[in-house]
Amino acid sequence: MERKIMRKDWDSRVFDTINITCLSIVLILILVPLWNVVISSFSSSKALAEGGFIFWPSELSLENYRAVFRDDSIGQSFFISVAKTVIGVLTHVLFCAMVAYGLSKSNVRGRKFYVTMGVITMFFSGGMIPTYLLIKSLGLLNSFWVYIIPALLSFYDVIILMNFFRNVPSSLEESAKIDGAGDWRVFLSIFIPLSMPAMATIAMFNGVNQWNDFMTTKLYVTNEALYPLQMKLYEIIVQSQTQSMQNIGGSVIIETTTKGVQLATIVITTLPIVAIYPLLQRYFISGMMLGAVKE
């Protein structure tokens, strides 16, 4: 009996050691490249020109970040990015939740037709040119709403919310309607709070897409006042590449390199998402409905 217990303890320790070792390796594989990007963005052009892996630069410099923030329109672009991300996420999640709530009811007329049409749009689209013509006909070119309206609906997110809404106990909805609550009251007071884990996940993914969105501006916006941060940083990188090409073979000493500016832009664009993620992480735990209804 004692030998069996000792054997179990030994197997458990070996298993824990293997788990810790594997997790440590994965953590190192993630953190080391991340550290290299961050610390390289603070390196001087000379340190970056030497090449190789940089664990700690031989010469620290803020010139890469100065080159990024030298443009006075960065503040306006940052505001546009924040505004389109916040408004886009709120409207996207609310609109998808409304559609999913209606389609989750089996007694809705034409439900199968709407679901089929939605699934078809997940695999087929009109293409770039028809989409551009549609955006133009709607008067969304060079408009802030071109960031919001085309991104209102994602049927993939609708399917996720539909499945989540179906798991909400029908007893909650029935008891609320007995108390006189209508569909809007049930939707806002019961389904929305109970679906926070799914909605927070969708909001996180959509927020990352909105924040990193670059092609929408490239295709539909020419007004620089509506440029988000991604587009403005793209212009800065192109300008730095042009300056580097002009300085090749000359005697001019440049304080930044294209690689340094690119690394600085990566840090700047990633930092807001990294800061917001821990705030939404607690909503990813999908155990809110346990014990809500006792059958």
Side-chain angles (χ1 to χ4, degrees):
M1 187 68 179
E2 292 181 356
R3 290 183 177 179
K4 291 182 178 180
I5 295 175
M6 292 177 64
R7 181 61 181 271
K8 289 182 179 180
D9 292 340
W10 172 256
D11 292 341
S12 177
R13 291 177 182 177
V14 172
F15 184 73
D16 291 342
T17 303
I18 294 174
N19 282 338
I20 293 174
T21 303
C22 292
L23 289 175
S24 300
I25 294 173
V26 173
L27 186 63
I28 291 173
L29 292 176
I30 294 174
L31 291 181
V32 171
L34 182 63
W35 170 259
N36 176 250
V37 171
V38 174
I39 203 63
S40 296
S41 67
F42 290 97
S43 301
S44 64
S45 59
K46 180 181 178 181
L48 289 175
E50 293 175 354
F53 180 81
I54 298 177
F55 187 79
W56 187 262
S58 58
E59 183 179 356
L60 289 173
S61 175
L62 295 176
E63 289 301 324
N64 295 324
Y65 290 92
R66 290 194 183 101
V68 173
F69 290 105
R70 194 173 292 134
D71 195 330
D72 296 334
S73 60
I74 285 292
Q76 173 70 14
S77 300
F78 182 79
F79 174 77
I80 293 294
S81 291
V82 172
K84 83 183 188 73
T85 300
V86 173
I87 298 175
V89 167
L90 292 177
T91 54
H92 175 85
V93 172
L94 181 60
F95 192 78
C96 288
M98 291 166 56
V99 175
Y101 177 69
L103 294 180
S104 64
K105 306 301 179 183
S106 58
N107 58 349
V108 174
R109 292 183 178 180
R111 174 180 171 275
K112 291 184 179 180
F113 172 77
Y114 298 137
V115 172
T116 302
M117 293 299 294
V119 171
I120 290 175
T121 62
M122 295 173 61
F123 298 97
F124 303 98
S125 64
M128 183 181 295
I129 295 177
T131 303
Y132 178 86
L133 295 176
L134 175 62
I135 296 296
K136 182 179 179 180
S137 64
L138 293 176
L140 295 177
L141 294 180
N142 285 323
S143 171
F144 175 79
W145 298 107
V146 75
Y147 300 125
I148 308 301
I149 295 177
L152 275 178
L153 182 65
S154 170
F155 205 76
Y156 179 80
D157 295 339
V158 170
I159 292 176
I160 294 176
L161 290 172
M162 281 174 56
N163 294 328
F164 208 92
F165 288 161
R166 288 172 184 170
N167 292 327
V168 175
S170 59
S171 303
L172 286 175
E173 185 175 0
E174 292 173 0
S175 61
K177 289 187 174 181
I178 290 175
D179 292 337
D183 289 329
W184 278 105
R185 184 64 181 274
V186 171
F187 172 68
L188 295 175
S189 300
I190 296 178
F191 281 83
I192 293 296
L194 291 178
S195 304
M196 275 300 174
M199 297 181 71
T201 304
I202 292 174
M204 185 66 191
F205 290 141
N206 184 257
V208 172
N209 290 333
Q210 278 281 9
W211 181 262
N212 292 328
D213 183 29
F214 163 77
M215 287 304 298
T216 301
T217 308
K218 191 73 173 175
L219 294 174
Y220 309 125
V221 178
T222 57
N223 184 5
E224 293 187 2
L226 294 175
Y227 278 5
L229 187 61
Q230 303 292 340
M231 186 65 183
K232 183 58 64 175
L233 295 177
Y234 166 77
E235 287 189 337
I236 293 173
I237 291 175
V238 171
Q239 291 174 3
S240 66
Q241 289 176 341
T242 304
Q243 293 174 359
S244 298
M245 292 298 294
Q246 292 175 351
N247 290 326
I248 291 177
S251 59
V252 180
I253 299 176
I254 55 175
E255 296 178 339
T256 61
T257 61
T258 302
K259 181 180 178 181
V261 175
Q262 289 175 349
L263 294 173
T265 57
I266 291 174
V267 175
I268 293 172
T269 55
T270 307
L271 187 60
I273 299 299
V274 174
I276 292 175
Y277 179 79
L279 301 178
L280 295 177
Q281 188 178 11
R282 64 190 182 94
Y283 290 107
F284 293 170
I285 302 174
S286 58
M288 297 180 63
M289 290 189 299
L290 295 178
V293 174
K294 196 170 186 179
E295 297 289 351

